[in-house]
Each structure stands twice: as C-alpha cells, then as structure tokens.
Amino acid sequence: GGVGKTTLAQLVYNDEKVEEYFDFRVWVCVSEDFDVVRVTKSLLESVVRNTTSAASKVWESDNLDILRVELKKNSREKRFLFVLDDLWNDNYNDWDELVSPLIDGKPGSSVIITTRQQKVVEMAKTFPIYKLDPLSDEDCWSILSKHALGSDECDASKNTALEEIGRKIARKCGGLPLAL
C-alpha cells in the first residue's frame, strides 16, 4: 500500500487523450469486501448515466443475472474503460461473473485493476502487468524536499543539518510516495 497504484490509475483515467478515446469511463472502488452484485450495480449505474441523457435509474434488483444482462446491453458496442480500484478478491468465479458481460465491448475497451495481491493478478490474467516498486532514497528525498522546502534543491551551505534530517525522514518512508 502507498506505492502509487491508485494515483497512477487516476492519472491514466483523467488523461485528456484517454477521455477522448473511450465512449465512457467508469471508476469503482472495490476494496476488501468484494460483492459482485454491488460492483456490477456500480458499473451499471455509471454506464447508464454515461450513455443516456435520462436521469440515472437506481437498480433495485439484487438478481445478478438481471444486472449482468443490463450491463451487457448498455456496454455492447461501446468502447469503455473500467477501473476496478483496490481489488482483493482472488476467486475466479466471482471475477468471471463480473467481467463476462463485458465481452461484447468495442475493440479497445479496457479494464484496469489496482491490487496489492499477486493472487488477484494471476486470477484475473491481466495483461500487461505493471508492478510498481518503491522509490529510491534519492527520489524520496527529491519529493520530500519539494514539498517541505518548495524546491528539490536544498542549499547545502545553509541547510546541512536540515538536509541530513530530511534524508533520514525520506529513508524511513521506505520508498512509499503516500508516506512522503
């Protein structure tokens, strides 16, 4: 956690070229309590809101089959980007139930998953996989000094003690941008 998975996905999701390329984009925070009905409802409500001018209908049904049929109908022949943020569930059957309605999407449709679990990556068979590594101590110091001092260059002659303390703090953050 804190290495920047969600931040990177947000940068992609909010990029102007990405926005122009897709007919619609949907972001769903999944979290540890994965519920395929809840996630499918969230996707469906966002898709309907993005594809019709009518007010969004709140889907009352908890019948997964009905929800999946509606999701398939509303995303068919559209180029979509779905972001499933913070996915923890590595149950293949749950995953298959969630993504099977998306098969008829227009070529170029994509699903981005953020997760810290290697088992989730293996289950979803995502491609390509981007594994984010912690930052180097030098990159950590650069970020910390930019935020703390308003510059990535500390005047060594004036702030030797400050830089030394700052570099220790940067190392203690373990390469995690969120901690910095």
Side-chain angles (χ1 to χ4, degrees), residues 18-25 79-81 108-110:
V18 170
E19 193 172 335
E20 291 170 5
Y21 179 77
F22 293 101
D23 296 320
F24 58 87
R25 300 164 303 133
R79 186 177 299 130
F80 56 80
L81 171 63
S109 293
S110 296

Side-chain angles (χ1 to χ4, degrees), residues 146-166:
K146 238 180 221 170
H147 286 283
L149 306 172
S151 165
D152 58 351
E153 293 189 25
C154 185
D155 185 348
S157 62
K158 295 181 182 175
N159 297 313
T160 311
L162 184 60
E163 181 176 352
E164 184 179 327
I165 292 167

